[in-house]
Amino acid sequence: MNLLRTKGVTKKMETFQVILICLYVVFLVLYCFVKTRPKLARARIFAKLVLATIYLSLALANLFTSGIYPFPFFKTAVCLACVFAWAGDCLLLSKRTFAAGVAGFFVANLLLISAEVDLMGKINLGLGDFLGAAIIFVIFYGGLAVMQMGGFISFGKRVLPLNVYIATATLSGSLGLMLACNGNNIFYALFGIGAGLFMVSDYLMGAYLYKFKIPVFTVANSILYFSGMFMVALSLAF
């Protein structure tokens, strides 16, 4: 078995986790290959559903095999975030349910934030740590706000809901990265970096949908999003 070590903490990686990681890599490569090829739409849908189902299955398996009852609040919130993200992935497959899919991701981000707030009370954080998170938030969302005001990018009629969503996603990612830098075990690293990747993926998708119709943006979005969600799900094992 593989061993993951961090600051004196050693934990075995279960066989099913290794198998899911291998499957995930295979389907992520497949998904990136077919995503920008309209003739392979069915393969794209299949690969996306498999990826979403793998990270959800991993999250649920990790939570229910943890042996800790009742489940800690932050782990329950993280697992529920994976459930809503999975629902968002499924709903985004149809234009008729696109808005519901975005709502699913919005709830997922709220759940991640609630987990992050709970985790803040479990480690020592100073003013500088929160300042760092604030700087990340300002760089990302502040930069987006400036670009909107300058007319570089426009969300049109969806300006309010999309700004609320992206601000929430940015807060989740900023706090996650703060926790990743200050946590005392691998859980914080996996969870925090995963939340950060989720955040960046949203910005790439926004750039693709509302400014640059360049395939590299949507492919990069997929790589970061699915990598981030897998890391968030895997963090529940620690």
Side-chain angles (χ1 to χ4, degrees), residues 5-190:
R5 302 175 184 271
T6 178
K7 294 187 178 181
V9 176
T10 303
K11 186 176 178 68
K12 287 186 177 180
M13 209 170 191
E14 300 294 341
T15 302
F16 81 91
Q17 293 168 339
V18 176
I19 292 173
L20 289 181
I21 288 174
C22 294
L23 284 174
Y24 206 76
V25 172
V26 170
F27 276 95
L28 183 55
V29 172
L30 173 63
Y31 183 63
C32 291
F33 176 77
V34 302
K35 188 170 185 180
T36 58
R37 292 168 171 79
K39 293 183 179 180
L40 299 176
R42 290 185 178 180
R44 175 181 59 81
I45 293 172
F46 175 71
K48 182 174 185 178
L49 289 176
V50 170
L51 287 168
T53 301
I54 287 177
Y55 75 64
L56 176 59
S57 300
L58 180 63
L60 292 171
N62 286 335
L63 181 67
F64 286 100
T65 60
S66 65
I68 303 174
Y69 303 100
F71 301 130
F73 173 80
F74 67 90
K75 288 200 171 187
T76 302
V78 170
C79 191
L80 287 174
C82 291
V83 172
F84 278 94
W86 175 86
D89 280 320
C90 295
L91 292 169
L92 286 185
L93 292 173
S94 172
K95 291 182 178 180
R96 291 179 297 179
T97 56
F98 186 86
V102 174
F105 288 120
F106 177 69
V107 175
N109 276 299
L110 290 178
L111 286 164
L112 290 178
I113 291 171
S114 68
E116 289 161 349
V117 171
D118 186 44
L119 288 167
M120 286 178 200
K122 302 181 185 300
I123 58 177
N124 295 320
L125 295 170
L127 180 60
D129 301 317
F130 288 100
L131 180 60
I135 290 174
I136 294 173
F137 183 90
V138 170
I139 290 174
F140 278 90
Y141 185 70
L144 176 62
V146 170
M147 286 189 284
Q148 289 181 82
M149 290 185 288
F152 182 75
I153 190 170
S154 174
F155 293 144
K157 295 180 179 179
R158 297 176 176 174
V159 60
L160 180 59
L162 285 180
N163 270 282
V164 171
Y165 171 78
I166 197 66
T168 304
T170 308
L171 178 60
S172 171
S174 300
L175 294 177
L177 291 173
M178 177 187 71
L179 290 170
C181 293
N182 292 278
N184 55 10
N185 59 51
I186 197 170
F187 166 80
Y188 288 93
L190 287 171

Side-chain angles (χ1 to χ4, degrees), residues 224-235:
L224 294 185
Y225 167 72
F226 281 113
S227 296
M229 287 308 302
F230 192 87
M231 293 176 74
V232 168
L234 184 60
S235 72

